Amino acid sequence: MRLRRAARIILIGAPGVGKGTQSERLLRRFPQLSAISSGDLLRHNVKHRTPLGIKVESTIKSGGLVSDDLMLRLISNELHQRGWIFPAHPDGHVMTLASAAIGATTEPGSSGSGGSPATMDAETAAFLSSPAHVHGHAYGPPRVNEDPSASFLLDGFPRTAAQADRLDEIVPINLAVSIRTPLEVIIERISGRWVHEPSGRVYNTSYNPPRVPGRDDVTGEPLVRRADDSEEVYRARWERFRETSEPLLEHYARKGVLWEVEGMSSDEITPKLVREFERRFIE
Ligand code: ATP
Ligand code: MG
């Protein structure tokens, strides 16, 4: 199966709606796709105590949103790193600074949310938290890699209309998937959620259990509960989603790229998503 054009997809949905699960399934089915999960990237930084991680830890713990500025730098850096966008100028600041720092652990164009996110050192973190030189705009907006192999899926970013506006300046999204599941169903599901932290793989004790309880299917490593899956923090995350999702959906509806999919379970949603992806992107 070949891609007709570069797919640039974002997933929008309430916390726990199963964005990570859908992302993983799409990647498995379409190996040409790669994914960035903003939550996984942030958690990776928190876990490894990078300056960026330390900066965002309390926000994540309380179910708040990390600042748009920081998120944008983090994601645009990752887009550069994977070769999906290029700086307008070969000496663009983002490329020189960021690739020196992050490139050590991420191969440009490496695929899959399966690989762990880039490790960030102090230099990168300092760059990401400095106000200047956001995505190389000193030289104008970056160029977009139009090759179908530069297809990607963003899970968890953009999350606000402001983030979407700024992402548009870097790379145009051609499919925004809004995943909808009733809140009661999601809350029930969150209580059984276990994750494999290094890869971001998600399991659920009732819907999608690991083959060996408490262990990742692929690596056999232990699964953990996410710190922000407690009922209280979940409520705060839901509240943030409720506030920000409507303008975000409107943003993509106006662009004509919004597609909504509903279901009570991930298993119900996946085939619909796969069909739509094939219809839009497969030759
Ligand atoms: P799920 O992964 O179950 O769909 P979620 O969307 O709430 O749930 P993540 O996407 O993993 O979870 O994000 C976890 C936390 O990371 C968020 O609560 C928020 O604090 C921070 N975060 C992630 N993406 C963004 C973003 N685009 N803007 C601001 N904060 C973000
Ligand atoms: Mg997620």
Side-chain angles (χ1 to χ4, degrees), residues 5 25 30 37-38 40-41 49 67-69 89 94-95 126 135 143 146 154 159 179 183 214-215 229-230 247 262:
R5 58 187 173 123
R25 290 178 179 177
F30 304 104
S37 155
S38 57
D40 288 351
L41 255 183
R49 314 301 306 155
S67 80
D68 290 345
D69 254 13
H89 187 282
V94 167
M95 283 314 272
H135 46 82
R143 286 180 296 118
E146 296 291 347
L154 304 181
R159 232 193 192 67
I179 305 178
L183 177 61
R215 297 274 161 187
D229 274 352
S230 74
E262 257 180 44

Side-chain angles (χ1 to χ4, degrees), residues 15-16 18-21 37-40 43 155-156 159 193 200 202 226 237:
K19 300 183 291 285
T21 300
S37 155
S38 57
D40 288 351
R43 279 186 292 275
D155 161 9
R159 232 193 192 67
R193 172 153 81 171
V202 187
R226 256 173 60 174
R237 289 161 59 204

Side-chain angles (χ1 to χ4, degrees), residues 73 76-78 80-81 85 87 91-100 127 132-137 139:
R73 286 184 206 127
S76 62
N77 201 46
E78 196 68 18
H80 272 115
Q81 206 42 54
I85 56 176
D91 298 328
H93 254 275
V94 167
M95 283 314 272
T96 46
L97 247 184
S99 48
F127 161 72
H133 304 117
V134 180
H135 46 82
H137 268 179
Y139 302 106

